[in-house]
């Protein structure tokens, strides 16, 4: 494949920036832009060893003192000849170095093209390729652990165990049909039923992890609800650890929703601070209340904030009605650092103080209990809709095969559904290649990865 090059690190000031090159004639391209201190050409440097030298611009003059490393294929990330230049992290240096690589014969890499080449060269399957972007985008330790396990092939191993057994059934059936005079053991109905049941159980358990996978990748939509001036914005700031929302003693400061992400109890929450729920005093506030109710309608978790220093009001009860429509609810009695009023909703409420931080550890524990990690080990959790849809289709086909077998249909009718399941699992890992599918997956990547 033609040589490609890209900046693999962000386009901001940093200590180190990396230029990556891969493809045919990769080392010949690098010979033109790197001058080693040991006076040997880049193409003659020992593989997988850092070499000190100068990065040269298009005019042949040094741009930077760098470390360069050569990865001969197939023992490289892409499976072809690769190189990396570890520069000082100046965006100007990196841009000029990239321009020199283009002048030397490389072209700009597309989004995810390095990883796509790794897939096309058989170094990664599609689940591992998707794990690369999941690892880059991970916002919690649990998400990173799941991604790195999938990058190591854990999900692929699970899928290929099912895929290979189903493929063996199909191939054995066709061998019996195509070579009737050969002494090939026929498939017994009992054996087929057991195999299909085992595969169904494996895929059903895997599909059940998808909800957990969505939480790992996307976070939990969480609406912070309550009446004006109960401390919703103060709670948002406390969970974020910074002053994101304006906080005053004037009721109704928040007129629109504010969205931020925070890790609470090891769970990624997509926090939505909302306008106070009450009878609106003006048109702007009315729109804010409407958006608060809309946020509640789309949330998976509601944090209902009450002012523990005063008695409950009718507005608090209206806020509770909105919060109870959300699948999961935590009631928080804020301002626990002040003298507390009596009364409540007759439901458990966590005492907290957004101002002092009192009760926040208990809130984290409560959130963690609502969204437990589950029994699936890291790496065996489906994290995106494409994976879940492929497993779902395979599962439906297996159940169709079991029904056909139970109905007494001939094995060829059963094998039609088995082949459908095999094809769906092949799409999951990339064995069944679809160009449009592969293209969509790698469009999610940044340039340089």
């Amino acid at each position: 494949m033609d040589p490609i090059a890209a900046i693999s690190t962000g386009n901001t000031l940093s200590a180190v920036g990396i230029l990556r090159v891969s493809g045919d004639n990769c080392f010949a391209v690098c010979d033109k832009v790197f001058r080693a201190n040991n006076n040997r050409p880049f193409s003659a440097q020992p593989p997988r060893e850092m070499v000190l030298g100068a990065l040269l611009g298009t005019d042949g003059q040094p741009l930077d003192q760098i470390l360069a490393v050569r990865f001969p294929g197939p023992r490289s990330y892409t499976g072809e000849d690769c190189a990396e230049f570890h520069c000082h992290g100046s965006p100007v240096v990196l841009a000029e170095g990239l321009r020199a690589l283009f002048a030397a014969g490389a072209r700009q890499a597309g989004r995810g093209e390095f990883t796509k080449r790794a897939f096309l060269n058989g170094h990664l399957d599609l689940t591992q390729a998707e794990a690369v972007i999941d690892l880059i985008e991970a916002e919690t330790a649990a998400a990173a652990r799941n991604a790195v396990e999938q990058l190591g092939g854990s999900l692929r191993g699970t899928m290929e165990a099912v895929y290979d057994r189903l493929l063996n059934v199909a191939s054995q059936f066709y061998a019996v049909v195509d070579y009737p005079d050969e002494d090939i053991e026929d498939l017994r109905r009992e054996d087929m039923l057991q195999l299909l049941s085992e595969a169904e159980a494996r895929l059903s358990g895997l599909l059940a992890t998808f909800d957990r996978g969505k939480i790992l990748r996307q976070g939990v939509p969480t609406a912070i609800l309550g009446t004006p001036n109960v401390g919703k914005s103060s709670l948002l700031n406390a969970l974020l650890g910074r002053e994101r929302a304006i906080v005053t003693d004037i009721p109704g400061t928040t007129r629109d929703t504010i969205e931020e992400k925070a890790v609470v109890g090891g769970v990624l929450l997509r926090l939505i601070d909302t306008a106070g729920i009450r009878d609106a005093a003006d048109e702007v506030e009315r729109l804010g209340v409407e958006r608060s109710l809309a946020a509640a309608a789309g949330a998976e978790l509601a944090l209902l904030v009450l002012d523990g220093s005063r008695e409950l009001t009718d507005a608090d009860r209206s806020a509770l009605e909105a919060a109870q429509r959300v699948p999961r609810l935590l009631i928080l009695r804020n301002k626990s650092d002040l003298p507390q009023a009596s009364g409540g909703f007759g439901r458990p409420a966590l005492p907290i103080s957004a101002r002092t931080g009192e009760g926040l550890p208990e809130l984290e524990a409560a959130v963690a209990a609502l969204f437990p990690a589950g029994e699936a080990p890291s790496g065996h959790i489906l994290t995106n809709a494409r994976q879940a849809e492929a497993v779902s289709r395979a599962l439906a086909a297996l159940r169709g095969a079991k029904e056909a077998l139970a109905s007494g249909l001939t094995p060829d009718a059963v094998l039609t559904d088995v082949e459908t399941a095999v094809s769906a699992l092949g799409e999951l890992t990339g064995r069944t290649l679809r160009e449009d599918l592969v293209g969509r997956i790698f469009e999610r990547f940044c340039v340089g990865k």
Side-chain angles (χ1 to χ4, degrees):
M1 296 183 183
D2 60 331
I4 56 174
I7 301 170
S8 286
T9 45
N11 193 29
T12 57
L13 290 173
S14 59
V16 177
I18 299 175
L19 294 168
R20 175 178 282 177
V21 194
S22 181
D24 296 339
N25 300 316
C26 167
F27 300 149
V29 169
C30 295
D31 279 337
K32 299 176 183 178
V33 301
F34 178 71
R35 182 191 300 151
N37 285 5
N38 61 19
N39 294 319
R40 295 166 59 186
F42 179 82
S43 54
Q45 298 296 338
R48 289 170 289 280
E49 289 186 14
M50 289 287 194
V51 178
L52 182 64
L55 176 66
L56 308 179
T58 54
D59 58 359
Q61 297 302 307
L63 286 170
D64 191 10
Q65 285 290 317
I66 69 168
L67 290 170
V69 60
R70 190 171 71 93
F71 300 99
R75 292 178 59 194
S76 69
Y77 180 70
T78 62
E80 53 196 21
D81 288 346
C82 285
E84 287 185 358
F85 296 152
H86 293 237
C87 315
H88 292 92
S90 161
V92 171
V93 168
L94 293 171
E96 286 299 306
L98 187 62
R99 203 158 67 88
L101 287 168
F102 294 160
R107 67 164 173 83
Q108 174 66 58
R111 297 176 71 87
E113 190 168 0
F114 292 97
T115 304
K116 184 176 182 179
R117 289 188 177 195
F119 164 69
L120 294 175
N121 290 326
H123 277 221
L124 301 173
D125 77 338
L126 284 187
T127 63
Q128 292 172 296
E130 288 172 315
V132 172
I133 192 66
D134 284 353
L135 189 55
I136 292 171
E137 296 177 348
E139 297 184 74
T140 65
R145 281 193 295 268
N146 187 69
V148 77
E149 290 291 335
Q150 287 193 3
L151 183 57
S154 59
L155 185 56
R156 179 188 65 184
T158 299
M159 289 297 92
E160 291 199 338
V162 178
Y163 180 96
D164 289 342
R165 294 192 69 183
L166 295 177
L167 195 62
N168 287 340
V169 169
S171 60
Q172 186 176 2
F173 169 77
Y174 284 117
V176 170
V177 171
D178 294 342
Y179 303 99
D181 297 331
E182 299 291 333
D183 186 20
I184 301 175
E185 184 180 356
D186 202 353
L187 292 171
R188 295 194 312 147
R189 186 177 298 272
E190 295 79 9
D191 293 339
M192 285 187 65
L193 185 60
Q194 180 179 351
L195 186 148
L196 293 176
S197 296
E198 291 174 354
E200 179 190 17
R202 181 74 66 89
L203 295 184
S204 181
L206 188 62
L207 189 60
T209 68
F210 182 45
D211 284 343
R212 173 64 181 165
K214 286 192 293 184
I215 291 173
L216 283 179
R217 284 194 67 251
Q218 302 171 13
V220 181
T222 304
I224 304 177
L225 302 174
T227 58
N229 216 33
V230 293
K232 300 185 299 300
S233 296
S234 296
L235 175 62
L236 175 70
N237 291 340
L239 294 176
L240 293 176
R242 59 189 174 88
E243 296 297 314
R244 170 62 178 86
I246 297 173
V247 176
T248 73
D249 292 330
I250 303 171
T253 303
T254 302
R255 295 297 188 97
D256 201 354
T257 56
I258 299 173
E259 298 190 24
E260 290 286 347
K261 291 181 180 179
V263 178
V264 180
V267 181
L268 180 63
L269 301 186
R270 286 165 37 209
L271 296 164
I272 308 167
D273 183 21
T274 64
I277 297 175
R278 66 174 178 178
D279 290 335
D282 55 50
E283 181 65 14
V284 174
E285 187 175 7
R286 183 185 65 79
L287 291 173
V289 172
E290 288 179 359
R291 292 191 179 187
S292 298
L293 297 175
E300 289 293 324
L301 170 65
L303 301 179
L304 176 62
V305 183
L306 306 174
D307 183 345
S309 67
R310 62 168 172 75
E311 301 294 337
L312 295 178
T313 66
D314 289 340
D316 290 322
R317 295 181 179 87
S318 296
L320 175 64
E321 288 182 16
Q324 285 177 321
R325 301 188 188 103
V326 180
R328 296 173 179 84
L329 168 63
L330 290 174
I331 300 176
L332 312 177
R333 289 180 65 96
N334 191 28
K335 306 184 183 181
S336 60
D337 52 314
L338 300 177
Q340 296 293 286
S342 60
F345 289 129
R347 299 182 51 163
L350 289 172
I352 68 165
S353 172
R355 187 177 68 84
T356 67
E358 179 185 346
L360 292 186
E362 289 75 15
L363 172 57
E364 294 205 9
V367 170
L370 287 176
F371 299 95
E375 298 179 357
S378 292
H380 294 76
I381 299 174
L382 296 181
T383 56
N384 65 58
R386 184 196 76 83
Q387 294 173 353
E389 192 272 337
V391 172
S392 183
R393 279 191 287 117
L395 190 57
L398 285 180
R399 287 168 176 164
K402 284 183 64 179
E403 290 176 7
L405 196 62
S407 301
L409 296 180
T410 56
D412 57 324
V414 177
L415 264 294
T416 298
D417 283 324
V418 170
E419 287 182 319
T420 300
V422 168
S423 178
L425 294 179
E427 286 183 23
L428 183 73
T429 60
R431 287 198 187 205
T432 308
L433 189 61
R434 281 177 45 195
E435 288 294 334
D436 61 329
L437 176 66
V438 173
R440 283 202 305 271
I441 289 172
F442 290 101
E443 283 173 1
R444 293 176 52 207
F445 283 68
C446 55
V447 173
K449 191 55 184 171

